[in-house]
Coordinates of all heavy atoms in Angstrom, one line a residue:
C345 N -20.7 -4.6 -11.3 CA -21.2 -5.9 -10.9 C -22.3 -5.7 -9.8 O -23.3 -6.4 -9.9 CB -20.1 -6.7 -10.4 SG -18.9 -7.2 -11.6
H346 N -22.1 -4.9 -8.8 CA -23.0 -4.7 -7.7 C -24.3 -4.0 -8.2 O -25.3 -4.1 -7.5 CB -22.4 -4.0 -6.6 CG -21.3 -4.8 -5.9 ND1 -21.6 -5.8 -4.9 CD2 -20.0 -4.9 -6.1 CE1 -20.5 -6.3 -4.5 NE2 -19.5 -5.9 -5.3
A347 N -24.3 -3.3 -9.3 CA -25.4 -2.6 -9.7 C -26.3 -3.4 -10.6 O -27.5 -3.1 -10.9 CB -25.0 -1.3 -10.5
V348 N -25.8 -4.6 -11.1 CA -26.6 -5.4 -12.0 C -26.9 -6.8 -11.5 O -27.1 -7.7 -12.3 CB -25.9 -5.5 -13.4 CG1 -25.9 -4.1 -14.1 CG2 -24.5 -6.0 -13.3
S349 N -26.8 -7.0 -10.2 CA -27.2 -8.2 -9.6 C -26.2 -9.4 -9.9 O -26.6 -10.6 -9.6 CB -28.6 -8.7 -9.9 OG -29.5 -7.7 -9.5
I350 N -25.1 -9.1 -10.4 CA -24.0 -10.2 -10.5 C -23.4 -10.3 -9.1 O -22.8 -11.4 -8.8 CB -23.0 -9.8 -11.6 CG1 -23.7 -9.7 -12.9 CG2 -21.8 -10.7 -11.6 CD1 -22.8 -9.2 -14.0
A351 N -23.5 -9.3 -8.3 CA -22.9 -9.3 -7.0 C -24.0 -8.8 -6.0 O -24.9 -8.1 -6.4 CB -21.7 -8.4 -6.9
P352 N -23.8 -9.0 -4.7 CA -24.8 -8.6 -3.8 C -24.9 -7.1 -3.6 O -23.9 -6.4 -3.9 CB -24.4 -9.3 -2.5 CG -23.0 -9.5 -2.6 CD -22.7 -9.8 -4.1
T353 N -26.0 -6.5 -3.2 CA -26.1 -5.1 -3.0 C -25.1 -4.6 -2.0 O -24.8 -5.3 -1.0 CB -27.5 -4.7 -2.6 OG1 -27.6 -3.3 -2.4 CG2 -27.9 -5.4 -1.2
L354 N -24.6 -3.4 -2.2 CA -23.7 -2.8 -1.2 C -24.5 -1.9 -0.2 O -24.0 -1.3 0.7 CB -22.7 -2.0 -1.9 CG -21.7 -2.8 -2.7 CD1 -20.7 -1.9 -3.5 CD2 -20.9 -3.8 -1.9
R355 N -25.8 -1.7 -0.5 CA -26.7 -1.0 0.4 C -26.7 -1.6 1.8 O -27.0 -2.8 1.9 CB -28.1 -0.9 -0.1 CG -28.3 -0.1 -1.3 CD -29.7 -0.3 -1.9 NE -30.0 0.6 -2.9 CZ -30.7 1.7 -2.7 NH1 -31.2 2.0 -1.5 NH2 -31.0 2.5 -3.7
G356 N -26.3 -0.9 2.8 CA -26.3 -1.4 4.2 C -25.2 -2.4 4.5 O -25.3 -3.2 5.4
V357 N -24.2 -2.5 3.7 CA -23.1 -3.5 3.9 C -22.4 -3.3 5.2 O -22.0 -4.3 5.8 CB -22.2 -3.6 2.7 CG1 -21.3 -2.4 2.6 CG2 -21.4 -4.9 2.7
I358 N -22.1 -2.1 5.6 CA -21.4 -1.9 6.8 C -22.2 -2.3 8.0 O -23.3 -1.9 8.2 CB -20.9 -0.4 6.9 CG1 -19.9 -0.1 5.8 CG2 -20.3 -0.1 8.3 CD1 -19.5 1.3 5.7
G359 N -21.6 -3.3 8.7 CA -22.3 -3.8 9.9 C -23.1 -5.1 9.5 O -23.5 -5.9 10.4
R360 N -23.2 -5.4 8.3 CA -23.9 -6.7 7.9 C -22.9 -7.8 7.9 O -21.8 -7.7 7.6 CB -24.4 -6.4 6.4 CG -25.2 -7.6 5.9 CD -25.9 -7.3 4.6 NE -24.9 -7.2 3.5 CZ -25.1 -6.4 2.4 NH1 -26.1 -5.6 2.3 NH2 -24.2 -6.3 1.5
P361 N -23.4 -9.0 8.3 CA -22.6 -10.2 8.2 C -22.1 -10.5 6.8 O -22.9 -10.3 5.8 CB -23.5 -11.3 8.8 CG -24.5 -10.6 9.6 CD -24.7 -9.3 8.9
V362 N -20.9 -11.0 6.7 CA -20.4 -11.4 5.4 C -21.3 -12.5 4.8 O -21.8 -13.4 5.5 CB -18.9 -11.9 5.5 CG1 -18.4 -12.5 4.2 CG2 -18.1 -10.8 6.1
A363 N -21.5 -12.4 3.5 CA -22.3 -13.5 2.7 C -23.7 -13.7 3.3 O -24.1 -14.8 3.4 CB -21.5 -14.8 2.7
S364 N -24.4 -12.6 3.5 CA -25.7 -12.7 4.2 C -26.9 -12.1 3.5 O -28.0 -12.0 4.0 CB -25.6 -12.1 5.6 OG -25.4 -10.7 5.5
V365 N -26.7 -11.6 2.2 CA -27.8 -10.9 1.6 C -28.9 -12.0 1.2 O -28.6 -12.9 0.4 CB -27.4 -10.1 0.3 CG1 -28.6 -9.6 -0.4 CG2 -26.5 -9.0 0.8
T366 N -30.1 -11.9 1.8 CA -31.1 -12.8 1.5 C -31.5 -12.7 0.0 O -31.6 -11.6 -0.6 CB -32.4 -12.4 2.3 OG1 -32.0 -12.4 3.7 CG2 -33.5 -13.4 2.0
G367 N -31.6 -13.9 -0.6 CA -32.0 -13.9 -2.0 C -30.8 -13.9 -3.0 O -31.0 -14.2 -4.2
F368 N -29.6 -13.6 -2.5 CA -28.4 -13.6 -3.4 C -27.8 -15.0 -3.2 O -27.4 -15.4 -2.1 CB -27.4 -12.5 -3.1 CG -26.2 -12.5 -4.0 CD1 -26.4 -12.1 -5.3 CD2 -25.0 -13.1 -3.6 CE1 -25.3 -12.1 -6.2 CE2 -23.9 -13.1 -4.4 CZ -24.1 -12.6 -5.7
S369 N -27.7 -15.7 -4.3 CA -27.1 -17.1 -4.2 C -25.7 -17.2 -4.9 O -25.2 -18.4 -5.0 CB -28.1 -18.1 -4.9 OG -28.2 -17.7 -6.3
G370 N -25.1 -16.1 -5.2 CA -23.8 -16.2 -5.9 C -22.6 -16.1 -5.1 O -21.5 -15.9 -5.6
Y371 N -22.7 -16.3 -3.7 CA -21.5 -16.2 -2.9 C -20.6 -17.4 -3.1 O -21.0 -18.5 -3.2 CB -21.9 -16.2 -1.4 CG -22.6 -14.9 -1.0 CD1 -23.9 -14.9 -0.6 CD2 -21.9 -13.7 -0.9 CE1 -24.6 -13.8 -0.1 CE2 -22.5 -12.6 -0.5 CZ -23.8 -12.6 -0.1 OH -24.4 -11.4 0.3
S372 N -19.3 -17.0 -3.2 CA -18.3 -18.1 -3.3 C -18.2 -18.8 -1.9 O -18.6 -18.3 -0.9 CB -16.9 -17.5 -3.6 OG -16.5 -16.7 -2.5
E373 N -17.7 -20.0 -2.0 CA -17.4 -20.8 -0.8 C -16.5 -20.0 0.1 O -16.6 -20.1 1.4 CB -16.9 -22.2 -1.1 CG -18.0 -23.1 -1.7 CD -19.2 -23.3 -0.9 OE1 -19.1 -23.4 0.3 OE2 -20.3 -23.2 -1.5
A374 N -15.5 -19.3 -0.5 CA -14.6 -18.5 0.3 C -15.2 -17.5 1.1 O -14.9 -17.3 2.3 CB -13.6 -17.9 -0.7
L375 N -16.2 -16.8 0.6 CA -16.9 -15.8 1.4 C -17.9 -16.4 2.4 O -18.1 -16.0 3.5 CB -17.7 -14.8 0.5 CG -16.8 -13.6 0.0 CD1 -17.6 -12.6 -0.8 CD2 -16.0 -12.9 1.1
K376 N -18.5 -17.5 2.0 CA -19.4 -18.2 2.9 C -18.7 -18.7 4.1 O -19.2 -18.7 5.3 CB -20.1 -19.4 2.2 CG -21.1 -19.1 1.2 CD -21.6 -20.3 0.6 CE -22.6 -20.1 -0.6 NZ -23.0 -21.3 -1.2
A377 N -17.4 -19.0 4.0 CA -16.6 -19.4 5.1 C -16.3 -18.3 6.1 O -15.9 -18.5 7.2 CB -15.2 -20.0 4.6
K378 N -16.5 -17.0 5.7 CA -16.3 -15.9 6.5 C -17.6 -15.3 7.1 O -17.7 -14.3 7.7 CB -15.7 -14.7 5.7 CG -14.4 -15.1 5.0 CD -13.2 -14.9 5.9 CE -11.9 -15.1 5.1 NZ -10.8 -15.0 6.0
A379 N -18.7 -16.1 7.0 CA -20.0 -15.7 7.4 C -20.1 -15.3 8.8 O -21.0 -14.6 9.2 CB -21.1 -16.8 7.0
G380 N -19.2 -15.7 9.7 CA -19.3 -15.3 11.1 C -18.8 -13.9 11.4 O -18.9 -13.4 12.5
L381 N -18.2 -13.3 10.3 CA -17.7 -11.9 10.5 C -18.7 -10.9 9.9 O -19.6 -11.2 9.2 CB -16.4 -11.8 9.6 CG -15.3 -12.8 10.0 CD1 -14.1 -12.6 9.0 CD2 -14.8 -12.5 11.4
A382 N -18.5 -9.7 10.4 CA -19.4 -8.6 9.8 C -18.5 -7.6 9.1 O -17.3 -7.4 9.5 CB -20.1 -7.9 11.0
W383 N -19.1 -7.0 8.1 CA -18.3 -6.0 7.3 C -18.2 -4.7 8.1 O -19.2 -4.0 8.4 CB -19.0 -5.7 6.0 CG -19.0 -6.8 5.0 CD1 -20.0 -7.5 4.5 CD2 -17.8 -7.3 4.4 NE1 -19.6 -8.4 3.6 CE2 -18.2 -8.3 3.5 CE3 -16.4 -7.0 4.4 CZ2 -17.3 -9.1 2.7 CZ3 -15.5 -7.7 3.7 CH2 -16.0 -8.8 2.8
T384 N -17.0 -4.3 8.4 CA -16.7 -3.0 9.1 C -15.9 -2.2 8.0 O -15.4 -2.8 7.1 CB -15.8 -3.2 10.3 OG1 -14.6 -3.8 9.9 CG2 -16.5 -4.1 11.4
P385 N -15.8 -0.9 8.3 CA -14.9 -0.2 7.3 C -13.5 -0.7 7.3 O -12.9 -0.8 6.2 CB -14.9 1.3 7.9 CG -16.3 1.3 8.6 CD -16.5 0.0 9.2
E386 N -13.0 -1.2 8.4 CA -11.6 -1.7 8.4 C -11.5 -3.0 7.6 O -10.6 -3.3 6.9 CB -11.2 -2.0 9.8 CG -11.0 -0.7 10.7 CD -12.4 -0.2 11.2 OE1 -13.4 -0.9 11.2 OE2 -12.4 1.0 11.6
M387 N -12.6 -3.9 7.8 CA -12.6 -5.2 7.0 C -12.8 -4.9 5.5 O -12.2 -5.6 4.7 CB -13.6 -6.1 7.6 CG -13.5 -7.5 7.0 SD -14.4 -8.8 7.7 CE -14.2 -8.5 9.4
L388 N -13.6 -3.9 5.2 CA -13.8 -3.6 3.8 C -12.5 -3.1 3.2 O -12.2 -3.4 2.0 CB -14.9 -2.5 3.6 CG -16.3 -3.0 3.7 CD1 -17.3 -1.8 3.8 CD2 -16.7 -3.9 2.6
D389 N -11.7 -2.4 4.0 CA -10.4 -1.9 3.5 C -9.5 -3.1 3.2 O -8.9 -3.1 2.1 CB -9.8 -0.9 4.5 CG -8.5 -0.4 4.0 OD1 -8.5 0.4 3.0 OD2 -7.4 -0.7 4.6
I390 N -9.4 -4.0 4.1 CA -8.6 -5.2 3.8 C -9.1 -6.0 2.6 O -8.3 -6.4 1.8 CB -8.6 -6.1 5.1 CG1 -7.9 -5.4 6.3 CG2 -8.0 -7.5 4.8 CD1 -8.2 -6.0 7.6
F391 N -10.4 -6.2 2.5 CA -11.0 -6.9 1.4 C -10.7 -6.2 0.1 O -10.3 -6.8 -0.9 CB -12.5 -7.1 1.6 CG -13.2 -7.8 0.5 CD1 -12.9 -9.2 0.3 CD2 -14.1 -7.2 -0.3 CE1 -13.5 -9.9 -0.8 CE2 -14.8 -7.9 -1.3 CZ -14.5 -9.3 -1.5
L392 N -11.0 -4.9 0.0 CA -10.8 -4.1 -1.2 C -9.3 -4.0 -1.6 O -9.0 -4.0 -2.8 CB -11.4 -2.7 -1.1 CG -12.9 -2.7 -1.0 CD1 -13.4 -1.3 -0.7 CD2 -13.6 -3.2 -2.2
K393 N -8.4 -4.1 -0.7 CA -7.0 -4.0 -1.0 C -6.6 -5.3 -1.6 O -5.7 -5.3 -2.5 CB -6.2 -3.8 0.3 CG -4.7 -3.7 0.1 CD -4.0 -3.4 1.3 CE -2.5 -3.3 1.1 NZ -1.7 -3.0 2.3
G394 N -7.1 -6.5 -1.2 CA -6.7 -7.7 -1.8 C -7.8 -8.8 -1.6 O -7.7 -9.6 -0.6
P395 N -8.8 -8.8 -2.4 CA -9.9 -9.7 -2.2 C -9.5 -11.2 -2.1 O -9.9 -12.0 -1.2 CB -10.8 -9.5 -3.4 CG -10.5 -8.2 -3.9 CD -9.1 -7.9 -3.5
M396 N -8.5 -11.6 -2.9 CA -8.0 -12.9 -3.0 C -7.2 -13.3 -1.7 O -7.1 -14.4 -1.3 CB -7.3 -13.2 -4.2 CG -8.1 -13.1 -5.5 SD -9.5 -14.3 -5.5 CE -8.6 -15.7 -6.1
D397 N -6.6 -12.3 -1.1 CA -5.8 -12.5 0.1 C -6.8 -12.6 1.3 O -6.6 -13.5 2.2 CB -4.9 -11.3 0.4 CG -3.8 -11.1 -0.6 OD1 -3.4 -12.2 -1.2 OD2 -3.4 -10.0 -0.9
F398 N -7.9 -11.9 1.3 CA -8.9 -11.9 2.3 C -9.6 -13.2 2.3 O -9.8 -13.9 3.3 CB -9.8 -10.8 2.2 CG -11.0 -10.8 3.2 CD1 -10.8 -10.3 4.5 CD2 -12.2 -11.3 2.8 CE1 -11.8 -10.3 5.4 CE2 -13.3 -11.3 3.8 CZ -13.1 -10.8 5.0
A399 N -10.0 -13.7 1.1 CA -10.8 -14.9 0.9 C -10.4 -15.6 -0.3 O -11.0 -15.4 -1.4 CB -12.3 -14.5 0.9
P400 N -9.3 -16.4 -0.2 CA -8.9 -17.1 -1.4 C -10.0 -17.9 -2.1 O -10.7 -18.6 -1.4 CB -7.8 -18.0 -0.9 CG -7.3 -17.3 0.3 CD -8.5 -16.7 0.9
G401 N -10.2 -17.6 -3.3 CA -11.3 -18.3 -4.1 C -12.5 -17.4 -4.2 O -13.5 -17.8 -4.9
T402 N -12.5 -16.2 -3.7 CA -13.6 -15.3 -3.9 C -13.8 -15.0 -5.3 O -12.8 -15.1 -6.1 CB -13.4 -13.9 -3.1 OG1 -14.6 -13.1 -3.2 CG2 -12.2 -13.2 -3.6
L403 N -15.0 -14.6 -5.7 CA -15.3 -14.3 -7.1 C -14.9 -12.8 -7.4 O -14.8 -12.5 -8.6 CB -16.7 -14.6 -7.4 CG -17.1 -16.0 -7.2 CD1 -18.6 -16.2 -7.4 CD2 -16.3 -17.0 -8.1
M404 N -14.7 -12.0 -6.4 CA -14.3 -10.6 -6.7 C -12.8 -10.6 -6.9 O -12.0 -11.0 -6.0 CB -14.6 -9.7 -5.5 CG -14.2 -8.3 -5.8 SD -15.0 -7.2 -4.7 CE -13.9 -5.8 -4.8
T405 N -12.4 -10.2 -8.0 CA -11.0 -10.2 -8.4 C -10.4 -8.8 -8.5 O -9.2 -8.6 -8.6 CB -10.7 -10.9 -9.7 OG1 -11.5 -10.2 -10.8 CG2 -11.1 -12.3 -9.7
K406 N -11.2 -7.7 -8.4 CA -10.8 -6.3 -8.5 C -10.2 -5.9 -7.2 O -11.0 -5.8 -6.2 CB -12.0 -5.5 -9.0 CG -11.7 -4.0 -9.0 CD -10.7 -3.6 -10.1 CE -10.6 -2.1 -10.2 NZ -9.3 -1.7 -10.7
A407 N -9.0 -5.6 -7.2 CA -8.3 -5.0 -6.0 C -8.1 -3.5 -6.2 O -8.0 -3.1 -7.3 CB -7.0 -5.7 -5.8
I408 N -8.2 -2.8 -5.1 CA -8.0 -1.3 -5.1 C -6.7 -1.1 -4.3 O -6.7 -1.1 -3.1 CB -9.2 -0.6 -4.6 CG1 -10.4 -0.9 -5.3 CG2 -8.9 0.9 -4.6 CD1 -11.7 -0.3 -4.7
E409 N -5.6 -0.8 -5.0 CA -4.3 -0.7 -4.4 C -4.2 0.6 -3.6 O -3.5 0.7 -2.6 CB -3.2 -0.9 -5.4 CG -3.2 -2.3 -6.0 CD -2.1 -2.4 -7.0 OE1 -1.1 -1.6 -7.0 OE2 -2.2 -3.4 -7.8
D410 N -4.7 1.7 -4.1 CA -4.5 3.0 -3.6 C -5.4 3.2 -2.3 O -6.6 3.1 -2.3 CB -4.9 4.1 -4.6 CG -4.6 5.5 -4.1 OD1 -5.4 6.0 -3.4 OD2 -3.6 6.0 -4.5
A411 N -4.7 3.5 -1.2 CA -5.4 3.6 0.1 C -6.4 4.7 0.1 O -7.5 4.6 0.7 CB -4.4 3.8 1.2
Q412 N -6.2 5.8 -0.5 CA -7.1 6.9 -0.6 C -8.3 6.6 -1.4 O -9.5 6.9 -1.0 CB -6.5 8.2 -1.1 CG -7.4 9.4 -1.0 CD -7.9 9.7 0.4 OE1 -7.1 9.9 1.3 NE2 -9.2 9.7 0.7
V413 N -8.1 5.9 -2.5 CA -9.3 5.5 -3.3 C -10.1 4.5 -2.5 O -11.4 4.6 -2.5 CB -8.8 4.8 -4.7 CG1 -9.9 4.2 -5.4 CG2 -8.1 5.9 -5.5
R414 N -9.5 3.5 -1.8 CA -10.3 2.6 -1.0 C -11.1 3.4 0.1 O -12.2 3.1 0.3 CB -9.3 1.6 -0.3 CG -8.8 0.5 -1.2 CD -8.2 -0.6 -0.4 NE -7.3 -0.3 0.7 CZ -6.0 0.0 0.5 NH1 -5.4 -0.1 -0.7 NH2 -5.2 0.3 1.6
A415 N -10.4 4.3 0.7 CA -11.1 5.1 1.7 C -12.3 5.9 1.1 O -13.4 5.9 1.7 CB -10.2 6.1 2.4
D416 N -12.1 6.4 -0.1 CA -13.2 7.1 -0.7 C -14.4 6.2 -1.1 O -15.5 6.5 -0.9 CB -12.7 7.8 -2.0 CG -11.8 9.0 -1.7 OD1 -11.7 9.4 -0.5 OD2 -11.1 9.4 -2.6
V417 N -14.0 5.0 -1.6 CA -15.1 4.0 -1.9 C -15.8 3.6 -0.7 O -17.1 3.5 -0.7 CB -14.4 2.7 -2.6 CG1 -15.4 1.6 -2.7 CG2 -13.9 3.1 -4.0
I418 N -15.1 3.3 0.4 CA -15.8 2.9 1.7 C -16.7 4.1 2.2 O -17.8 3.8 2.7 CB -14.8 2.5 2.7 CG1 -14.1 1.2 2.2 CG2 -15.4 2.3 4.1 CD1 -12.8 0.8 2.9
A419 N -16.2 5.3 2.1 CA -17.0 6.5 2.6 C -18.2 6.6 1.7 O -19.3 6.9 2.2 CB -16.1 7.7 2.5
Y420 N -18.1 6.3 0.4 CA -19.3 6.4 -0.5 C -20.3 5.2 -0.1 O -21.5 5.5 0.1 CB -18.9 6.2 -1.9 CG -20.1 6.0 -2.8 CD1 -21.0 7.0 -3.1 CD2 -20.4 4.7 -3.3 CE1 -22.1 6.8 -3.9 CE2 -21.5 4.5 -4.1 CZ -22.4 5.6 -4.4 OH -23.5 5.3 -5.1
I421 N -19.8 4.0 0.1 CA -20.6 2.9 0.5 C -21.4 3.2 1.8 O -22.6 2.9 1.9 CB -19.8 1.6 0.6 CG1 -19.3 1.2 -0.8 CG2 -20.6 0.5 1.3 CD1 -18.3 0.0 -0.8
A422 N -20.7 3.9 2.7 CA -21.4 4.2 4.0 C -22.5 5.1 3.8 O -23.4 5.2 4.7 CB -20.3 4.8 4.9
T423 N -22.6 5.9 2.7 CA -23.7 6.8 2.5 C -24.9 6.2 1.9 O -26.0 6.8 1.8 CB -23.3 8.0 1.6 OG1 -23.1 7.5 0.3 CG2 -22.1 8.7 2.1
L424 N -24.8 4.9 1.4 CA -25.9 4.3 0.7 C -27.0 3.9 1.7 O -26.7 3.5 2.8 CB -25.4 3.0 0.0 CG -24.4 3.2 -1.1 CD1 -23.9 1.8 -1.6 CD2 -24.9 4.0 -2.2
P425 N -28.2 4.1 1.3 CA -29.3 3.8 2.2 C -29.5 2.3 2.3 O -28.9 1.5 1.6 CB -30.6 4.4 1.5 CG -30.2 4.4 0.0 CD -28.7 4.7 0.0
P426 N -30.2 1.8 3.3 CA -30.4 0.4 3.5 C -31.0 -0.2 2.3 O -31.6 0.5 1.5 CB -31.3 0.3 4.7 CG -31.3 1.6 5.4 CD -30.9 2.6 4.3
P427 N -30.9 -1.6 2.2 CA -31.5 -2.2 1.0 C -33.0 -2.0 1.0 O -33.7 -1.8 2.0 CB -31.3 -3.7 1.3 CG -30.2 -3.8 2.3 CD -30.3 -2.5 3.1
R428 N -33.5 -2.0 -0.2 CA -35.0 -1.8 -0.4 C -35.7 -3.1 0.0 O -35.2 -4.2 -0.2 CB -35.3 -1.5 -1.9 CG -34.7 -0.2 -2.3 CD -35.1 0.0 -3.8 NE -34.2 1.1 -4.3 CZ -33.5 1.1 -5.4 NH1 -33.6 0.1 -6.1 NH2 -32.8 2.1 -5.7
S429 N -36.8 -3.0 0.6 CA -37.6 -4.2 1.0 C -38.3 -4.8 -0.1 O -38.7 -4.2 -1.1 CB -38.6 -3.8 2.1 OG -37.9 -3.2 3.2

């Protein structure tokens, strides 16, 4: 989803405010309500473990139950370069 513009880019997500990618208009009201927060590795872990628990009504329904898999995904996301201008 994140690779085909159905979801916002994950480039530079760590440290970025929730629901803040300029030009992406597909945020759910659930994520927009979290806009005062920033994505940290810890918050990404909570979100990936249970997106609907973190933001009931979010459009992301894929949960990652395995803690090591979540850690690996977050570590990979952290290596992504910033968004392209």
Side-chain angles (χ1 to χ4, degrees):
C345 294
H346 291 273
V348 293
S349 299
I350 294 172
T353 183
L354 295 175
R355 291 169 168 263
V357 71
I358 295 176
R360 183 172 71 210
V362 174
S364 67
V365 172
T366 303
F368 181 76
S369 61
Y371 289 113
S372 65
E373 292 302 317
L375 277 184
K376 288 179 186 177
K378 305 273 186 183
L381 303 173
W383 289 116
T384 62
E386 297 79 16
M387 190 169 316
L388 283 169
D389 183 63
I390 293 166
F391 181 65
L392 293 172
K393 183 176 181 181
M396 296 297 278
D397 294 330
F398 176 82
T402 184
L403 300 175
M404 181 162 158
T405 58
K406 174 69 174 153
I408 302 173
E409 295 180 20
D410 185 279
Q412 185 59 57
V413 173
R414 285 194 313 275
D416 292 345
V417 167
I418 293 165
Y420 170 73
I421 288 171
T423 69
L424 298 174
R428 296 181 194 129
S429 300

